[in-house]
Amino acid sequence: MPGLLLGDEAPNFEADTTHGPIRFHDFLGDSWGILFSHPRDFTPVCTTELGRAAKLAPEFSKRNVKMIALSIDSVQDHLSWCKDINAYNGDQPAEKLPFPIIADKNRELAVKLGMLDPDELDKDGMPLTARVVFVFGPDKKLKLSILYPATTGRNFDEILRVVDSLQLTAYKKVATPVDWKPGDSVMVVPSLPEEEAKKLFPKGIFTKELPSGKKYLRYTPQPE
Ligand code: BEZ
């Protein structure tokens, strides 16, 4: 199945959305972008995910990340579903969310982007769209991809956390360790020589002693 790999450029597809027709590269502009897919409109897990995504829209906007969702059904279905999603959030049942939802009625885009879940079929036996998260950088290249089956809802706190890591590591020569949260110490990347690392990280480097004697576990406070 075709799909997207890390480093691939986002396809510049045209699509109908709840905010009108888009061309993907124009939609992204110079921003970061997140595209998250859904199996079907009017389904329970998707409703909770989109409700949470709508609530987190200001957080993504603060990080200069443009959000866009995709689901199989038509724009008309999406608009009607948005009312339910807003009501689920305890808001007025408006037809819009703070981000567009792409209508992929014939699954063309889901196939092109490698998003189908072969285990979840609709009433006609056609595979539904899986829960994919693609994060694109301002260069429109894929920086992160997460793939969940239709039956497992995503954790949007984790998605925000990985955006923070992607943005930090895009601009600084650091990597984020297990369970990292913004503000925690980070690791100096292994390829950076010690003398250069000392200059780049004036807050200091702490190297953990290891049985191998190799000095690869190098921490530094999160750089500004
Ligand atoms: C849901 O969003 O609840 C869902 C969609 C397809 C398969 C299973 C669950």
Side-chain angles (χ1 to χ4, degrees), residues 38-49 81 117 120-121 128-129 131 149-153:
H38 294 273
R40 181 119 253 180
D41 293 9
F42 304 104
T43 49
V45 177
C46 296
T47 302
T48 61
E49 287 190 325
W81 185 31
D117 182 342
E120 289 300 326
L121 307 178
L128 295 174
T129 311
R131 298 179 197 282
T151 40
T152 299

mmCIF file of all heavy atoms in Angstrom, residues 38-49 81 117 120-121 128-129 131 149-153, ligand 1:
data_model
loop_
_atom_site.group_PDB
_atom_site.id
_atom_site.type_symbol
_atom_site.label_atom_id
_atom_site.label_comp_id
_atom_site.label_asym_id
_atom_site.label_seq_id
_atom_site.Cartn_x
_atom_site.Cartn_y
_atom_site.Cartn_z
ATOM 1 N N HIS A 38 -9.691 9.655 10.676
ATOM 2 C CA HIS A 38 -10.762 9.007 11.445
ATOM 3 C C HIS A 38 -11.471 7.976 10.588
ATOM 4 O O HIS A 38 -11.660 8.194 9.388
ATOM 5 C CB HIS A 38 -11.779 10.053 11.915
ATOM 6 C CG HIS A 38 -11.185 11.000 12.885
ATOM 7 N ND1 HIS A 38 -11.152 10.749 14.231
ATOM 8 C CD2 HIS A 38 -10.536 12.166 12.694
ATOM 9 C CE1 HIS A 38 -10.529 11.734 14.832
ATOM 10 N NE2 HIS A 38 -10.139 12.614 13.934
ATOM 11 N N PRO A 39 -11.922 6.864 11.210
ATOM 12 C CA PRO A 39 -12.587 5.817 10.432
ATOM 13 C C PRO A 39 -13.907 6.246 9.802
ATOM 14 O O PRO A 39 -14.217 5.857 8.688
ATOM 15 C CB PRO A 39 -12.835 4.706 11.447
ATOM 16 C CG PRO A 39 -11.903 4.975 12.576
ATOM 17 C CD PRO A 39 -11.653 6.447 12.596
ATOM 18 N N ARG A 40 -14.709 7.053 10.494
ATOM 19 C CA ARG A 40 -16.070 7.280 9.994
ATOM 20 C C ARG A 40 -16.729 8.368 10.836
ATOM 21 O O ARG A 40 -16.395 8.530 12.009
ATOM 22 C CB ARG A 40 -16.848 5.961 10.146
ATOM 23 C CG ARG A 40 -18.264 5.966 9.673
ATOM 24 C CD ARG A 40 -18.497 4.970 8.578
ATOM 25 N NE ARG A 40 -18.665 5.661 7.315
ATOM 26 C CZ ARG A 40 -18.886 5.039 6.164
ATOM 27 N NH1 ARG A 40 -18.928 3.730 6.105
ATOM 28 N NH2 ARG A 40 -19.036 5.728 5.063
ATOM 29 N N ASP A 41 -17.662 9.090 10.249
ATOM 30 C CA ASP A 41 -18.438 10.090 11.006
ATOM 31 C C ASP A 41 -19.452 9.382 11.924
ATOM 32 O O ASP A 41 -19.820 8.230 11.678
ATOM 33 C CB ASP A 41 -19.214 10.999 10.061
ATOM 34 C CG ASP A 41 -18.279 11.878 9.219
ATOM 35 O OD1 ASP A 41 -17.056 11.654 9.244
ATOM 36 O OD2 ASP A 41 -18.791 12.774 8.535
ATOM 37 N N PHE A 42 -19.889 10.098 12.916
ATOM 38 C CA PHE A 42 -20.924 9.615 13.852
ATOM 39 C C PHE A 42 -20.520 8.298 14.508
ATOM 40 O O PHE A 42 -21.321 7.363 14.613
ATOM 41 C CB PHE A 42 -22.286 9.466 13.146
ATOM 42 C CG PHE A 42 -22.762 10.736 12.490
ATOM 43 C CD1 PHE A 42 -22.674 10.893 11.117
ATOM 44 C CD2 PHE A 42 -23.257 11.784 13.253
ATOM 45 C CE1 PHE A 42 -23.095 12.071 10.508
ATOM 46 C CE2 PHE A 42 -23.676 12.969 12.650
ATOM 47 C CZ PHE A 42 -23.590 13.099 11.273
ATOM 48 N N THR A 43 -19.246 8.193 14.881
ATOM 49 C CA THR A 43 -18.770 7.011 15.610
ATOM 50 C C THR A 43 -18.251 7.492 16.968
ATOM 51 O O THR A 43 -17.764 8.628 17.082
ATOM 52 C CB THR A 43 -17.645 6.282 14.833
ATOM 53 O OG1 THR A 43 -16.681 7.248 14.441
ATOM 54 C CG2 THR A 43 -18.180 5.559 13.621
ATOM 55 N N PRO A 44 -18.370 6.645 17.995
ATOM 56 C CA PRO A 44 -18.140 7.150 19.356
ATOM 57 C C PRO A 44 -16.703 7.590 19.644
ATOM 58 O O PRO A 44 -16.478 8.684 20.166
ATOM 59 C CB PRO A 44 -18.557 5.976 20.242
ATOM 60 C CG PRO A 44 -18.587 4.773 19.368
ATOM 61 C CD PRO A 44 -18.853 5.254 17.975
ATOM 62 N N VAL A 45 -15.721 6.735 19.314
ATOM 63 C CA VAL A 45 -14.324 7.077 19.671
ATOM 64 C C VAL A 45 -13.896 8.349 18.928
ATOM 65 O O VAL A 45 -13.290 9.269 19.504
ATOM 66 C CB VAL A 45 -13.375 5.900 19.340
ATOM 67 C CG1 VAL A 45 -11.933 6.281 19.628
ATOM 68 C CG2 VAL A 45 -13.760 4.657 20.129
ATOM 69 N N CYS A 46 -14.244 8.421 17.645
ATOM 70 C CA CYS A 46 -13.879 9.597 16.834
ATOM 71 C C CYS A 46 -14.482 10.869 17.411
ATOM 72 O O CYS A 46 -13.858 11.933 17.393
ATOM 73 C CB CYS A 46 -14.395 9.440 15.408
ATOM 74 S SG CYS A 46 -13.651 8.076 14.539
ATOM 75 N N THR A 47 -15.704 10.771 17.915
ATOM 76 C CA THR A 47 -16.370 11.956 18.466
ATOM 77 C C THR A 47 -15.587 12.471 19.685
ATOM 78 O O THR A 47 -15.356 13.673 19.820
ATOM 79 C CB THR A 47 -17.830 11.607 18.842
ATOM 80 O OG1 THR A 47 -18.472 11.144 17.655
ATOM 81 C CG2 THR A 47 -18.569 12.795 19.414
ATOM 82 N N THR A 48 -15.139 11.526 20.536
ATOM 83 C CA THR A 48 -14.376 11.967 21.718
ATOM 84 C C THR A 48 -13.024 12.559 21.291
ATOM 85 O O THR A 48 -12.567 13.554 21.849
ATOM 86 C CB THR A 48 -14.127 10.798 22.702
ATOM 87 O OG1 THR A 48 -13.371 9.766 22.055
ATOM 88 C CG2 THR A 48 -15.429 10.226 23.220
ATOM 89 N N GLU A 49 -12.397 11.961 20.274
ATOM 90 C CA GLU A 49 -11.092 12.474 19.820
ATOM 91 C C GLU A 49 -11.217 13.883 19.235
ATOM 92 O O GLU A 49 -10.418 14.771 19.538
ATOM 93 C CB GLU A 49 -10.508 11.559 18.739
ATOM 94 C CG GLU A 49 -9.986 10.238 19.250
ATOM 95 C CD GLU A 49 -9.208 9.501 18.177
ATOM 96 O OE1 GLU A 49 -9.570 9.590 16.992
ATOM 97 O OE2 GLU A 49 -8.233 8.839 18.527
ATOM 98 N N TRP A 81 -22.104 16.198 11.761
ATOM 99 C CA TRP A 81 -21.391 15.527 12.872
ATOM 100 C C TRP A 81 -20.749 16.563 13.802
ATOM 101 O O TRP A 81 -20.717 16.380 15.022
ATOM 102 C CB TRP A 81 -20.349 14.581 12.265
ATOM 103 C CG TRP A 81 -19.596 13.727 13.229
ATOM 104 C CD1 TRP A 81 -20.026 13.231 14.419
ATOM 105 C CD2 TRP A 81 -18.259 13.245 13.061
ATOM 106 N NE1 TRP A 81 -19.040 12.465 15.003
ATOM 107 C CE2 TRP A 81 -17.941 12.463 14.177
ATOM 108 C CE3 TRP A 81 -17.299 13.394 12.059
ATOM 109 C CZ2 TRP A 81 -16.709 11.832 14.343
ATOM 110 C CZ3 TRP A 81 -16.066 12.764 12.204
ATOM 111 C CH2 TRP A 81 -15.780 11.991 13.339
ATOM 112 N N ASP A 117 -7.367 0.613 7.567
ATOM 113 C CA ASP A 117 -7.287 -0.432 8.602
ATOM 114 C C ASP A 117 -7.969 -1.685 8.044
ATOM 115 O O ASP A 117 -9.199 -1.729 7.954
ATOM 116 C CB ASP A 117 -8.004 0.042 9.874
ATOM 117 C CG ASP A 117 -7.922 -0.987 10.995
ATOM 118 O OD1 ASP A 117 -7.628 -2.171 10.702
ATOM 119 O OD2 ASP A 117 -8.146 -0.618 12.157
ATOM 120 N N GLU A 120 -10.994 -3.327 10.102
ATOM 121 C CA GLU A 120 -12.261 -2.645 10.417
ATOM 122 C C GLU A 120 -12.981 -2.335 9.122
ATOM 123 O O GLU A 120 -12.561 -1.476 8.346
ATOM 124 C CB GLU A 120 -11.988 -1.348 11.207
ATOM 125 C CG GLU A 120 -11.520 -1.591 12.619
ATOM 126 C CD GLU A 120 -12.518 -2.367 13.471
ATOM 127 O OE1 GLU A 120 -13.739 -2.209 13.298
ATOM 128 O OE2 GLU A 120 -12.055 -3.170 14.315
ATOM 129 N N LEU A 121 -14.063 -3.071 8.882
ATOM 130 C CA LEU A 121 -14.761 -2.961 7.608
ATOM 131 C C LEU A 121 -16.110 -2.273 7.799
ATOM 132 O O LEU A 121 -16.732 -2.397 8.856
ATOM 133 C CB LEU A 121 -14.982 -4.359 7.025
ATOM 134 C CG LEU A 121 -13.725 -5.237 6.917
ATOM 135 C CD1 LEU A 121 -14.085 -6.611 6.370
ATOM 136 C CD2 LEU A 121 -12.660 -4.577 6.046
ATOM 137 N N LEU A 128 -12.132 0.596 6.702
ATOM 138 C CA LEU A 128 -12.257 1.977 7.176
ATOM 139 C C LEU A 128 -10.871 2.601 7.289
ATOM 140 O O LEU A 128 -9.851 1.903 7.229
ATOM 141 C CB LEU A 128 -12.947 1.991 8.541
ATOM 142 C CG LEU A 128 -14.401 1.521 8.569
ATOM 143 C CD1 LEU A 128 -14.911 1.447 10.001
ATOM 144 C CD2 LEU A 128 -15.278 2.470 7.748
ATOM 145 N N THR A 129 -10.862 3.897 7.489
ATOM 146 C CA THR A 129 -9.592 4.602 7.693
ATOM 147 C C THR A 129 -9.107 4.360 9.121
ATOM 148 O O THR A 129 -9.914 4.403 10.059
ATOM 149 C CB THR A 129 -9.813 6.112 7.469
ATOM 150 O OG1 THR A 129 -10.511 6.286 6.243
ATOM 151 C CG2 THR A 129 -8.507 6.861 7.410
ATOM 152 N N ARG A 131 -6.568 5.287 12.514
ATOM 153 C CA ARG A 131 -6.275 6.551 13.216
ATOM 154 C C ARG A 131 -4.805 6.869 13.035
ATOM 155 O O ARG A 131 -3.943 6.342 13.744
ATOM 156 C CB ARG A 131 -6.600 6.419 14.702
ATOM 157 C CG ARG A 131 -8.042 6.139 14.953
ATOM 158 C CD ARG A 131 -8.400 5.985 16.404
ATOM 159 N NE ARG A 131 -9.679 5.327 16.485
ATOM 160 C CZ ARG A 131 -10.854 5.924 16.273
ATOM 161 N NH1 ARG A 131 -10.893 7.205 16.037
ATOM 162 N NH2 ARG A 131 -11.967 5.247 16.322
ATOM 163 N N PRO A 149 -4.989 1.437 15.265
ATOM 164 C CA PRO A 149 -6.160 0.837 14.628
ATOM 165 C C PRO A 149 -7.418 1.624 14.995
ATOM 166 O O PRO A 149 -7.414 2.405 15.950
ATOM 167 C CB PRO A 149 -6.193 -0.574 15.240
ATOM 168 C CG PRO A 149 -5.527 -0.426 16.559
ATOM 169 C CD PRO A 149 -4.476 0.653 16.396
ATOM 170 N N ALA A 150 -8.487 1.374 14.238
ATOM 171 C CA ALA A 150 -9.730 2.127 14.437
ATOM 172 C C ALA A 150 -10.279 1.978 15.850
ATOM 173 O O ALA A 150 -10.942 2.878 16.378
ATOM 174 C CB ALA A 150 -10.771 1.662 13.420
ATOM 175 N N THR A 151 -9.994 0.843 16.490
ATOM 176 C CA THR A 151 -10.613 0.562 17.793
ATOM 177 C C THR A 151 -9.865 1.172 18.987
ATOM 178 O O THR A 151 -10.310 1.011 20.125
ATOM 179 C CB THR A 151 -10.706 -0.970 17.983
ATOM 180 O OG1 THR A 151 -9.506 -1.551 17.489
ATOM 181 C CG2 THR A 151 -11.882 -1.547 17.229
ATOM 182 N N THR A 152 -8.733 1.836 18.747
ATOM 183 C CA THR A 152 -7.972 2.439 19.850
ATOM 184 C C THR A 152 -7.874 3.952 19.667
ATOM 185 O O THR A 152 -7.261 4.426 18.703
ATOM 186 C CB THR A 152 -6.553 1.829 19.913
ATOM 187 O OG1 THR A 152 -6.681 0.424 20.154
ATOM 188 C CG2 THR A 152 -5.735 2.443 21.030
ATOM 189 N N GLY A 153 -8.479 4.696 20.575
ATOM 190 C CA GLY A 153 -8.427 6.159 20.502
ATOM 191 C C GLY A 153 -7.041 6.678 20.866
ATOM 192 O O GLY A 153 -6.318 6.064 21.648
HETATM 193 C C1 BEZ B 1 -15.275 4.688 16.733
HETATM 194 O O1 BEZ B 1 -14.887 5.803 16.361
HETATM 195 O O2 BEZ B 1 -15.885 4.569 17.785
HETATM 196 C C2 BEZ B 1 -14.977 3.456 15.910
HETATM 197 C C3 BEZ B 1 -14.919 3.552 14.536
HETATM 198 C C4 BEZ B 1 -14.669 2.393 13.806
HETATM 199 C C5 BEZ B 1 -14.444 1.180 14.442
HETATM 200 C C6 BEZ B 1 -14.479 1.137 15.815
HETATM 201 C C7 BEZ B 1 -14.736 2.278 16.559
#
